[in-house]
Structures are given as C-alpha cells and as structure tokens.
PDB file of all heavy atoms in Angstrom:
ATOM      1  N   MET A  92       5.565 -12.291   3.307  1.00 95.00           N
ATOM      2  CA  MET A  92       5.679 -13.204   2.181  1.00 95.00           C
ATOM      3  C   MET A  92       6.503 -12.624   1.032  1.00 95.00           C
ATOM      4  O   MET A  92       6.802 -13.314   0.064  1.00 95.00           O
ATOM      5  CB  MET A  92       4.279 -13.567   1.651  1.00 95.00           C
ATOM      6  CG  MET A  92       3.397 -14.262   2.658  1.00 95.00           C
ATOM      7  SD  MET A  92       1.649 -14.308   2.137  1.00 95.00           S
ATOM      8  CE  MET A  92       1.742 -15.246   0.617  1.00 95.00           C
ATOM      9  N   VAL A  93       6.848 -11.357   1.142  1.00 91.00           N
ATOM     10  CA  VAL A  93       7.527 -10.644   0.062  1.00 91.00           C
ATOM     11  C   VAL A  93       8.984 -10.392   0.452  1.00 91.00           C
ATOM     12  O   VAL A  93       9.300 -10.242   1.636  1.00 91.00           O
ATOM     13  CB  VAL A  93       6.801  -9.307  -0.232  1.00 91.00           C
ATOM     14  CG1 VAL A  93       7.482  -8.540  -1.356  1.00 91.00           C
ATOM     15  CG2 VAL A  93       5.336  -9.566  -0.578  1.00 91.00           C
ATOM     16  N   SER A  94       9.868 -10.362  -0.525  1.00 88.00           N
ATOM     17  CA  SER A  94      11.281 -10.080  -0.264  1.00 88.00           C
ATOM     18  C   SER A  94      11.431  -8.837   0.607  1.00 88.00           C
ATOM     19  O   SER A  94      10.787  -7.812   0.359  1.00 88.00           O
ATOM     20  CB  SER A  94      12.022  -9.871  -1.589  1.00 88.00           C
ATOM     21  OG  SER A  94      13.323  -9.349  -1.356  1.00 88.00           O
ATOM     22  N   THR A  95      12.268  -8.936   1.618  1.00 84.00           N
ATOM     23  CA  THR A  95      12.469  -7.801   2.531  1.00 84.00           C
ATOM     24  C   THR A  95      12.977  -6.568   1.791  1.00 84.00           C
ATOM     25  O   THR A  95      12.825  -5.437   2.273  1.00 84.00           O
ATOM     26  CB  THR A  95      13.460  -8.170   3.651  1.00 84.00           C
ATOM     27  OG1 THR A  95      14.687  -8.664   3.053  1.00 84.00           O
ATOM     28  CG2 THR A  95      12.885  -9.223   4.568  1.00 84.00           C
ATOM     29  N   GLU A  96      13.578  -6.760   0.606  1.00 82.00           N
ATOM     30  CA  GLU A  96      14.031  -5.630  -0.200  1.00 82.00           C
ATOM     31  C   GLU A  96      12.875  -4.730  -0.610  1.00 82.00           C
ATOM     32  O   GLU A  96      13.049  -3.535  -0.828  1.00 82.00           O
ATOM     33  CB  GLU A  96      14.743  -6.117  -1.471  1.00 82.00           C
ATOM     34  CG  GLU A  96      16.093  -6.760  -1.246  1.00 82.00           C
ATOM     35  CD  GLU A  96      16.735  -7.135  -2.571  1.00 82.00           C
ATOM     36  OE1 GLU A  96      15.984  -7.494  -3.507  1.00 82.00           O
ATOM     37  OE2 GLU A  96      17.963  -7.075  -2.674  1.00 82.00           O
ATOM     38  N   LEU A  97      11.687  -5.329  -0.725  1.00 84.00           N
ATOM     39  CA  LEU A  97      10.526  -4.592  -1.223  1.00 84.00           C
ATOM     40  C   LEU A  97       9.596  -4.106  -0.110  1.00 84.00           C
ATOM     41  O   LEU A  97       8.601  -3.446  -0.389  1.00 84.00           O
ATOM     42  CB  LEU A  97       9.720  -5.495  -2.170  1.00 84.00           C
ATOM     43  CG  LEU A  97      10.399  -5.868  -3.486  1.00 84.00           C
ATOM     44  CD1 LEU A  97       9.611  -6.961  -4.189  1.00 84.00           C
ATOM     45  CD2 LEU A  97      10.526  -4.655  -4.396  1.00 84.00           C
ATOM     46  N   VAL A  98       9.935  -4.416   1.127  1.00 84.00           N
ATOM     47  CA  VAL A  98       9.030  -4.104   2.232  1.00 84.00           C
ATOM     48  C   VAL A  98       9.641  -3.086   3.172  1.00 84.00           C
ATOM     49  O   VAL A  98      10.765  -3.258   3.650  1.00 84.00           O
ATOM     50  CB  VAL A  98       8.660  -5.392   3.012  1.00 84.00           C
ATOM     51  CG1 VAL A  98       7.682  -5.071   4.125  1.00 84.00           C
ATOM     52  CG2 VAL A  98       8.065  -6.424   2.073  1.00 84.00           C
ATOM     53  N   ASP A  99       8.890  -2.031   3.452  1.00 84.00           N
ATOM     54  CA  ASP A  99       9.346  -1.021   4.398  1.00 84.00           C
ATOM     55  C   ASP A  99       9.573  -1.664   5.764  1.00 84.00           C
ATOM     56  O   ASP A  99       8.806  -2.541   6.189  1.00 84.00           O
ATOM     57  CB  ASP A  99       8.289   0.091   4.508  1.00 84.00           C
ATOM     58  CG  ASP A  99       8.777   1.272   5.325  1.00 84.00           C
ATOM     59  OD1 ASP A  99       8.583   1.246   6.562  1.00 84.00           O
ATOM     60  OD2 ASP A  99       9.354   2.206   4.737  1.00 84.00           O
ATOM     61  N   SER A 100      10.618  -1.241   6.444  1.00 84.00           N
ATOM     62  CA  SER A 100      10.993  -1.861   7.716  1.00 84.00           C
ATOM     63  C   SER A 100       9.885  -1.795   8.760  1.00 84.00           C
ATOM     64  O   SER A 100       9.811  -2.642   9.656  1.00 84.00           O
ATOM     65  CB  SER A 100      12.257  -1.190   8.273  1.00 84.00           C
ATOM     66  OG  SER A 100      12.030   0.197   8.493  1.00 84.00           O
ATOM     67  N   THR A 101       8.983  -0.815   8.642  1.00 87.00           N
ATOM     68  CA  THR A 101       7.915  -0.657   9.632  1.00 87.00           C
ATOM     69  C   THR A 101       6.835  -1.736   9.518  1.00 87.00           C
ATOM     70  O   THR A 101       6.034  -1.909  10.444  1.00 87.00           O
ATOM     71  CB  THR A 101       7.256   0.728   9.501  1.00 87.00           C
ATOM     72  OG1 THR A 101       6.695   0.847   8.184  1.00 87.00           O
ATOM     73  CG2 THR A 101       8.264   1.838   9.730  1.00 87.00           C
ATOM     74  N   ILE A 102       6.796  -2.455   8.374  1.00 91.00           N
ATOM     75  CA  ILE A 102       5.751  -3.466   8.200  1.00 91.00           C
ATOM     76  C   ILE A 102       6.320  -4.837   7.817  1.00 91.00           C
ATOM     77  O   ILE A 102       5.578  -5.742   7.441  1.00 91.00           O
ATOM     78  CB  ILE A 102       4.713  -3.029   7.147  1.00 91.00           C
ATOM     79  CG1 ILE A 102       5.396  -2.754   5.795  1.00 91.00           C
ATOM     80  CG2 ILE A 102       3.930  -1.818   7.617  1.00 91.00           C
ATOM     81  CD1 ILE A 102       4.400  -2.518   4.667  1.00 91.00           C
ATOM     82  N   GLN A 103       7.617  -5.013   7.922  1.00 87.00           N
ATOM     83  CA  GLN A 103       8.260  -6.260   7.479  1.00 87.00           C
ATOM     84  C   GLN A 103       7.744  -7.506   8.190  1.00 87.00           C
ATOM     85  O   GLN A 103       7.770  -8.593   7.619  1.00 87.00           O
ATOM     86  CB  GLN A 103       9.776  -6.165   7.656  1.00 87.00           C
ATOM     87  CG  GLN A 103      10.469  -5.446   6.519  1.00 87.00           C
ATOM     88  CD  GLN A 103      11.983  -5.426   6.695  1.00 87.00           C
ATOM     89  OE1 GLN A 103      12.510  -5.947   7.685  1.00 87.00           O
ATOM     90  NE2 GLN A 103      12.677  -4.828   5.754  1.00 87.00           N
ATOM     91  N   TYR A 104       7.258  -7.355   9.402  1.00 89.00           N
ATOM     92  CA  TYR A 104       6.836  -8.524  10.182  1.00 89.00           C
ATOM     93  C   TYR A 104       5.318  -8.712  10.194  1.00 89.00           C
ATOM     94  O   TYR A 104       4.809  -9.547  10.923  1.00 89.00           O
ATOM     95  CB  TYR A 104       7.368  -8.412  11.611  1.00 89.00           C
ATOM     96  CG  TYR A 104       8.873  -8.290  11.649  1.00 89.00           C
ATOM     97  CD1 TYR A 104       9.499  -7.073  11.863  1.00 89.00           C
ATOM     98  CD2 TYR A 104       9.680  -9.408  11.387  1.00 89.00           C
ATOM     99  CE1 TYR A 104      10.889  -6.958  11.858  1.00 89.00           C
ATOM    100  CE2 TYR A 104      11.061  -9.306  11.381  1.00 89.00           C
ATOM    101  CZ  TYR A 104      11.661  -8.079  11.616  1.00 89.00           C
ATOM    102  OH  TYR A 104      13.034  -7.974  11.592  1.00 89.00           O
ATOM    103  N   GLN A 105       4.634  -7.959   9.357  1.00 94.00           N
ATOM    104  CA  GLN A 105       3.177  -8.064   9.299  1.00 94.00           C
ATOM    105  C   GLN A 105       2.775  -9.336   8.545  1.00 94.00           C
ATOM    106  O   GLN A 105       3.123  -9.516   7.389  1.00 94.00           O
ATOM    107  CB  GLN A 105       2.579  -6.833   8.609  1.00 94.00           C
ATOM    108  CG  GLN A 105       1.060  -6.801   8.625  1.00 94.00           C
ATOM    109  CD  GLN A 105       0.510  -5.526   7.997  1.00 94.00           C
ATOM    110  OE1 GLN A 105       1.141  -4.478   8.051  1.00 94.00           O
ATOM    111  NE2 GLN A 105      -0.658  -5.616   7.392  1.00 94.00           N
ATOM    112  N   LYS A 106       2.015 -10.213   9.206  1.00 94.00           N
ATOM    113  CA  LYS A 106       1.655 -11.513   8.641  1.00 94.00           C
ATOM    114  C   LYS A 106       0.241 -11.576   8.087  1.00 94.00           C
ATOM    115  O   LYS A 106      -0.108 -12.516   7.373  1.00 94.00           O
ATOM    116  CB  LYS A 106       1.814 -12.598   9.706  1.00 94.00           C
ATOM    117  CG  LYS A 106       3.248 -12.790  10.181  1.00 94.00           C
ATOM    118  CD  LYS A 106       3.322 -13.907  11.207  1.00 94.00           C
ATOM    119  CE  LYS A 106       4.756 -14.126  11.682  1.00 94.00           C
ATOM    120  NZ  LYS A 106       4.833 -15.215  12.693  1.00 94.00           N
ATOM    121  N   LYS A 107      -0.595 -10.596   8.416  1.00 94.00           N
ATOM    122  CA  LYS A 107      -1.978 -10.618   7.926  1.00 94.00           C
ATOM    123  C   LYS A 107      -2.579  -9.213   7.952  1.00 94.00           C
ATOM    124  O   LYS A 107      -1.993  -8.273   8.491  1.00 94.00           O
ATOM    125  CB  LYS A 107      -2.830 -11.568   8.755  1.00 94.00           C
ATOM    126  CG  LYS A 107      -2.802 -11.322  10.259  1.00 94.00           C
ATOM    127  CD  LYS A 107      -3.584 -12.412  10.982  1.00 94.00           C
ATOM    128  CE  LYS A 107      -3.536 -12.206  12.489  1.00 94.00           C
ATOM    129  NZ  LYS A 107      -4.311 -13.257  13.209  1.00 94.00           N
ATOM    130  N   TYR A 108      -3.723  -9.110   7.315  1.00 95.00           N
ATOM    131  CA  TYR A 108      -4.520  -7.883   7.272  1.00 95.00           C
ATOM    132  C   TYR A 108      -3.907  -6.762   6.430  1.00 95.00           C
ATOM    133  O   TYR A 108      -4.315  -5.613   6.545  1.00 95.00           O
ATOM    134  CB  TYR A 108      -4.806  -7.343   8.685  1.00 95.00           C
ATOM    135  CG  TYR A 108      -5.437  -8.342   9.617  1.00 95.00           C
ATOM    136  CD1 TYR A 108      -4.912  -8.564  10.885  1.00 95.00           C
ATOM    137  CD2 TYR A 108      -6.563  -9.075   9.230  1.00 95.00           C
ATOM    138  CE1 TYR A 108      -5.493  -9.486  11.746  1.00 95.00           C
ATOM    139  CE2 TYR A 108      -7.141 -10.007  10.076  1.00 95.00           C
ATOM    140  CZ  TYR A 108      -6.605 -10.205  11.331  1.00 95.00           C
ATOM    141  OH  TYR A 108      -7.182 -11.131  12.178  1.00 95.00           O
ATOM    142  N   HIS A 109      -2.927  -7.076   5.571  1.00 97.00           N
ATOM    143  CA  HIS A 109      -2.354  -6.019   4.749  1.00 97.00           C
ATOM    144  C   HIS A 109      -3.328  -5.621   3.640  1.00 97.00           C
ATOM    145  O   HIS A 109      -3.812  -6.461   2.892  1.00 97.00           O
ATOM    146  CB  HIS A 109      -1.030  -6.461   4.120  1.00 97.00           C
ATOM    147  CG  HIS A 109      -0.376  -5.373   3.307  1.00 97.00           C
ATOM    148  ND1 HIS A 109       0.266  -4.308   3.900  1.00 97.00           N
ATOM    149  CD2 HIS A 109      -0.280  -5.186   1.962  1.00 97.00           C
ATOM    150  CE1 HIS A 109       0.733  -3.510   2.953  1.00 97.00           C
ATOM    151  NE2 HIS A 109       0.405  -4.017   1.765  1.00 97.00           N
ATOM    152  N   LYS A 110      -3.599  -4.328   3.554  1.00 97.00           N
ATOM    153  CA  LYS A 110      -4.481  -3.798   2.517  1.00 97.00           C
ATOM    154  C   LYS A 110      -3.896  -2.506   1.947  1.00 97.00           C
ATOM    155  O   LYS A 110      -3.066  -1.856   2.581  1.00 97.00           O
ATOM    156  CB  LYS A 110      -5.882  -3.520   3.089  1.00 97.00           C
ATOM    157  CG  LYS A 110      -6.648  -4.764   3.509  1.00 97.00           C
ATOM    158  CD  LYS A 110      -8.039  -4.410   3.982  1.00 97.00           C
ATOM    159  CE  LYS A 110      -8.811  -5.635   4.453  1.00 97.00           C
ATOM    160  NZ  LYS A 110      -9.100  -6.563   3.347  1.00 97.00           N
ATOM    161  N   ILE A 111      -4.358  -2.161   0.745  1.00 98.00           N
ATOM    162  CA  ILE A 111      -3.932  -0.918   0.119  1.00 98.00           C
ATOM    163  C   ILE A 111      -4.556   0.247   0.875  1.00 98.00           C
ATOM    164  O   ILE A 111      -5.764   0.257   1.136  1.00 98.00           O
ATOM    165  CB  ILE A 111      -4.359  -0.871  -1.367  1.00 98.00           C
ATOM    166  CG1 ILE A 111      -3.863  -2.123  -2.111  1.00 98.00           C
ATOM    167  CG2 ILE A 111      -3.838   0.405  -2.018  1.00 98.00           C
ATOM    168  CD1 ILE A 111      -2.373  -2.381  -2.007  1.00 98.00           C
ATOM    169  N   ALA A 112      -3.741   1.223   1.227  1.00 97.00           N
ATOM    170  CA  ALA A 112      -4.215   2.373   2.002  1.00 97.00           C
ATOM    171  C   ALA A 112      -5.125   3.273   1.167  1.00 97.00           C
ATOM    172  O   ALA A 112      -5.097   3.245  -0.071  1.00 97.00           O
ATOM    173  CB  ALA A 112      -3.016   3.175   2.509  1.00 97.00           C
ATOM    174  N   ASP A 113      -5.924   4.069   1.853  1.00 97.00           N
ATOM    175  CA  ASP A 113      -6.746   5.070   1.171  1.00 97.00           C
ATOM    176  C   ASP A 113      -5.837   6.064   0.452  1.00 97.00           C
ATOM    177  O   ASP A 113      -4.713   6.327   0.900  1.00 97.00           O
ATOM    178  CB  ASP A 113      -7.610   5.828   2.176  1.00 97.00           C
ATOM    179  CG  ASP A 113      -8.706   4.960   2.780  1.00 97.00           C
ATOM    180  OD1 ASP A 113      -9.105   3.978   2.128  1.00 97.00           O
ATOM    181  OD2 ASP A 113      -9.148   5.265   3.894  1.00 97.00           O
ATOM    182  N   PHE A 114      -6.333   6.623  -0.640  1.00 98.00           N
ATOM    183  CA  PHE A 114      -5.546   7.625  -1.363  1.00 98.00           C
ATOM    184  C   PHE A 114      -6.467   8.640  -2.018  1.00 98.00           C
ATOM    185  O   PHE A 114      -7.665   8.398  -2.206  1.00 98.00           O
ATOM    186  CB  PHE A 114      -4.661   6.957  -2.418  1.00 98.00           C
ATOM    187  CG  PHE A 114      -5.402   6.137  -3.444  1.00 98.00           C
ATOM    188  CD1 PHE A 114      -5.992   6.723  -4.552  1.00 98.00           C
ATOM    189  CD2 PHE A 114      -5.519   4.756  -3.290  1.00 98.00           C
ATOM    190  CE1 PHE A 114      -6.684   5.971  -5.489  1.00 98.00           C
ATOM    191  CE2 PHE A 114      -6.207   3.983  -4.227  1.00 98.00           C
ATOM    192  CZ  PHE A 114      -6.791   4.596  -5.332  1.00 98.00           C
ATOM    193  N   SER A 115      -5.901   9.776  -2.359  1.00 98.00           N
ATOM    194  CA  SER A 115      -6.626  10.816  -3.090  1.00 98.00           C
ATOM    195  C   SER A 115      -5.645  11.471  -4.048  1.00 98.00           C
ATOM    196  O   SER A 115      -4.753  12.210  -3.633  1.00 98.00           O
ATOM    197  CB  SER A 115      -7.205  11.854  -2.114  1.00 98.00           C
ATOM    198  OG  SER A 115      -7.919  12.854  -2.828  1.00 98.00           O
ATOM    199  N   LEU A 116      -5.801  11.186  -5.339  1.00 98.00           N
ATOM    200  CA  LEU A 116      -4.894  11.676  -6.363  1.00 98.00           C
ATOM    201  C   LEU A 116      -5.710  12.233  -7.526  1.00 98.00           C
ATOM    202  O   LEU A 116      -6.945  12.152  -7.520  1.00 98.00           O
ATOM    203  CB  LEU A 116      -3.970  10.545  -6.823  1.00 98.00           C
ATOM    204  CG  LEU A 116      -3.067   9.969  -5.711  1.00 98.00           C
ATOM    205  CD1 LEU A 116      -2.493   8.610  -6.112  1.00 98.00           C
ATOM    206  CD2 LEU A 116      -1.941  10.949  -5.385  1.00 98.00           C
ATOM    207  N   THR A 117      -5.044  12.812  -8.512  1.00 98.00           N
ATOM    208  CA  THR A 117      -5.735  13.470  -9.621  1.00 98.00           C
ATOM    209  C   THR A 117      -5.385  12.794 -10.936  1.00 98.00           C
ATOM    210  O   THR A 117      -4.211  12.562 -11.220  1.00 98.00           O
ATOM    211  CB  THR A 117      -5.345  14.962  -9.691  1.00 98.00           C
ATOM    212  OG1 THR A 117      -5.574  15.564  -8.416  1.00 98.00           O
ATOM    213  CG2 THR A 117      -6.163  15.685 -10.744  1.00 98.00           C
ATOM    214  N   ASN A 118      -6.396  12.490 -11.744  1.00 98.00           N
ATOM    215  CA  ASN A 118      -6.130  11.770 -12.991  1.00 98.00           C
ATOM    216  C   ASN A 118      -5.931  12.697 -14.186  1.00 98.00           C
ATOM    217  O   ASN A 118      -5.914  13.928 -14.049  1.00 98.00           O
ATOM    218  CB  ASN A 118      -7.228  10.731 -13.261  1.00 98.00           C
ATOM    219  CG  ASN A 118      -8.505  11.333 -13.823  1.00 98.00           C
ATOM    220  OD1 ASN A 118      -8.678  12.560 -13.917  1.00 98.00           O
ATOM    221  ND2 ASN A 118      -9.426  10.478 -14.213  1.00 98.00           N
ATOM    222  N   GLN A 119      -5.810  12.101 -15.359  1.00 98.00           N
ATOM    223  CA  GLN A 119      -5.504  12.829 -16.587  1.00 98.00           C
ATOM    224  C   GLN A 119      -6.594  13.809 -17.012  1.00 98.00           C
ATOM    225  O   GLN A 119      -6.369  14.661 -17.869  1.00 98.00           O
ATOM    226  CB  GLN A 119      -5.220  11.847 -17.730  1.00 98.00           C
ATOM    227  CG  GLN A 119      -6.423  10.993 -18.164  1.00 98.00           C
ATOM    228  CD  GLN A 119      -6.502   9.671 -17.437  1.00 98.00           C
ATOM    229  OE1 GLN A 119      -5.998   9.520 -16.327  1.00 98.00           O
ATOM    230  NE2 GLN A 119      -7.122   8.675 -18.070  1.00 98.00           N
ATOM    231  N   ASN A 120      -7.768  13.688 -16.402  1.00 98.00           N
ATOM    232  CA  ASN A 120      -8.864  14.602 -16.717  1.00 98.00           C
ATOM    233  C   ASN A 120      -9.098  15.631 -15.618  1.00 98.00           C
ATOM    234  O   ASN A 120     -10.084  16.372 -15.655  1.00 98.00           O
ATOM    235  CB  ASN A 120     -10.151  13.802 -16.963  1.00 98.00           C
ATOM    236  CG  ASN A 120     -10.016  12.881 -18.163  1.00 98.00           C
ATOM    237  OD1 ASN A 120      -9.538  13.300 -19.214  1.00 98.00           O
ATOM    238  ND2 ASN A 120     -10.429  11.634 -18.017  1.00 98.00           N
ATOM    239  N   GLY A 121      -8.190  15.664 -14.633  1.00 98.00           N
ATOM    240  CA  GLY A 121      -8.337  16.616 -13.531  1.00 98.00           C
ATOM    241  C   GLY A 121      -9.333  16.151 -12.486  1.00 98.00           C
ATOM    242  O   GLY A 121      -9.695  16.909 -11.581  1.00 98.00           O
ATOM    243  N   LYS A 122      -9.764  14.895 -12.572  1.00 98.00           N
ATOM    244  CA  LYS A 122     -10.721  14.353 -11.606  1.00 98.00           C
ATOM    245  C   LYS A 122      -9.996  13.758 -10.409  1.00 98.00           C
ATOM    246  O   LYS A 122      -8.952  13.116 -10.565  1.00 98.00           O
ATOM    247  CB  LYS A 122     -11.566  13.264 -12.284  1.00 98.00           C
ATOM    248  CG  LYS A 122     -12.552  12.581 -11.343  1.00 98.00           C
ATOM    249  CD  LYS A 122     -13.230  11.401 -12.022  1.00 98.00           C
ATOM    250  CE  LYS A 122     -14.110  10.628 -11.030  1.00 98.00           C
ATOM    251  NZ  LYS A 122     -14.733   9.434 -11.633  1.00 98.00           N
ATOM    252  N   THR A 123     -10.538  13.977  -9.222  1.00 98.00           N
ATOM    253  CA  THR A 123      -9.977  13.370  -8.022  1.00 98.00           C
ATOM    254  C   THR A 123     -10.323  11.883  -8.004  1.00 98.00           C
ATOM    255  O   THR A 123     -11.496  11.499  -8.125  1.00 98.00           O
ATOM    256  CB  THR A 123     -10.532  14.036  -6.753  1.00 98.00           C
ATOM    257  OG1 THR A 123     -10.152  15.416  -6.749  1.00 98.00           O
ATOM    258  CG2 THR A 123      -9.982  13.370  -5.495  1.00 98.00           C
ATOM    259  N   ILE A 124      -9.295  11.066  -7.870  1.00 98.00           N
ATOM    260  CA  ILE A 124      -9.462   9.617  -7.861  1.00 98.00           C
ATOM    261  C   ILE A 124      -9.138   9.097  -6.461  1.00 98.00           C
ATOM    262  O   ILE A 124      -8.082   9.388  -5.906  1.00 98.00           O
ATOM    263  CB  ILE A 124      -8.534   8.938  -8.887  1.00 98.00           C
ATOM    264  CG1 ILE A 124      -8.841   9.434 -10.293  1.00 98.00           C
ATOM    265  CG2 ILE A 124      -8.650   7.409  -8.802  1.00 98.00           C
ATOM    266  CD1 ILE A 124     -10.235   9.094 -10.793  1.00 98.00           C
ATOM    267  N   THR A 125     -10.060   8.340  -5.897  1.00 98.00           N
ATOM    268  CA  THR A 125      -9.855   7.760  -4.568  1.00 98.00           C
ATOM    269  C   THR A 125     -10.107   6.250  -4.632  1.00 98.00           C
ATOM    270  O   THR A 125     -10.457   5.717  -5.693  1.00 98.00           O
ATOM    271  CB  THR A 125     -10.807   8.374  -3.530  1.00 98.00           C
ATOM    272  OG1 THR A 125     -12.149   7.932  -3.810  1.00 98.00           O
ATOM    273  CG2 THR A 125     -10.757   9.902  -3.554  1.00 98.00           C
TER     274      THR A 125
END
C-alpha cells in the first residue's frame, strides 16, 4: 500500500501481517528500550 520508493525490495509484495520488528536500543537515560 506504500510507495515502492519507501519499501525495501524484500518486502514490496507483502499484502498483510506487516508489523514492527522487535528491537533493543538505549534511551537518553541509559535504559534499554524494547
């Protein structure tokens, strides 16, 4: 549903079930954010 310019070629044909992947990063207080 999104412009192909914004979609990685590996998922361009995905029509359903798209979700934000798990992540583990660090915030401004040094806390791990997931």
Side-chain angles (χ1 to χ4, degrees):
M92 299 166 61
V93 180
S94 169
T95 54
E96 290 183 327
L97 293 169
V98 182
D99 188 271
S100 60
T101 60
I102 58 172
Q103 278 183 359
Y104 302 102
Q105 186 177 330
K106 296 182 179 180
K107 54 185 178 179
Y108 306 130
H109 182 75
K110 293 183 182 294
I111 306 305
D113 291 335
F114 58 83
S115 181
L116 298 163
T117 306
N118 78 353
Q119 66 268 25
N120 297 313
K122 177 187 174 183
T123 298
I124 300 296
T125 70

